[in-house]
Amino acid sequence: MHDVLSTITRSDRLLLAVSFICLAAAGTTGSVVETVTPTLAATAVAIAGVYGVASYATRVSRRTLATLALGFWVAFLSLTSFHLVGLETVGLAVPGNVAVYVYSLDALTWGTLLTACAATAFLGFREYGATTSADAPEEKVLESESYDTR
């Protein structure tokens, strides 16, 4: 027997990876540059990243989306320890170019934060949609009941 990889699962992961890269790039660019054109470009890239997370959220189960959101929040909170120490300090502790480490940690922090926020928001939308659609039939029954006033 041949094991067949699901192309949907593979494309979902690719979509999520591209979204993460977009959000990381947008966050880093927006925090470093103070001119209008790069900020507008970073905003457009961030919108593309959020759209990617939204598309991913519609393709996976609520449990998968909840796990994803939790994972990105844990990753974000873990990365904040580097910010407490100082990104330059971390960059000096590791051999190589300090600026590359600072930029990379900054991009990872923004990417995890924005992806966690987007995944949590879309999870909230799905949960709200699940509860309102479950309550709707009961409300319709109550509204359509006729009361005998005899």
Side-chain angles (χ1 to χ4, degrees), residues 2-142:
H2 294 280
D3 291 329
V4 178
L5 292 176
S6 171
T7 55
I8 294 172
T9 303
R10 254 187 26 220
S11 65
D12 287 348
R13 289 180 186 157
L14 178 62
L15 180 61
L16 185 62
V18 169
S19 298
F20 179 80
I21 291 169
C22 287
L23 292 170
T28 304
T29 302
S31 67
V32 175
V33 181
E34 294 182 10
T35 59
V36 174
T37 304
T39 302
L40 291 175
T43 303
V45 172
I47 291 169
V50 171
Y51 177 77
V53 175
S55 297
Y56 177 81
T58 61
R59 296 178 184 181
V60 297
S61 68
R62 289 190 326 211
R63 181 182 176 114
T64 301
L65 189 57
T67 304
L68 172 81
L70 180 63
F72 275 105
W73 280 115
V74 168
F76 169 70
L77 292 173
S78 298
L79 285 168
T80 58
S81 63
F82 293 122
H83 291 270
L84 291 174
V85 173
L87 296 181
E88 291 80 16
T89 305
V90 173
L92 289 171
V94 181
N97 189 347
V98 174
V100 171
Y101 291 120
V102 169
Y103 186 79
S104 299
L105 288 172
D106 198 31
L108 283 173
T109 303
W110 277 107
T112 55
L113 173 64
L114 295 175
T115 305
C117 289
T120 303
F122 292 120
L123 178 63
F125 293 147
R126 284 186 70 176
E127 290 297 321
Y128 177 75
T131 57
T132 56
S133 64
D135 293 341
E138 290 177 10
E139 291 172 4
K140 289 180 183 177
V141 170
L142 291 175

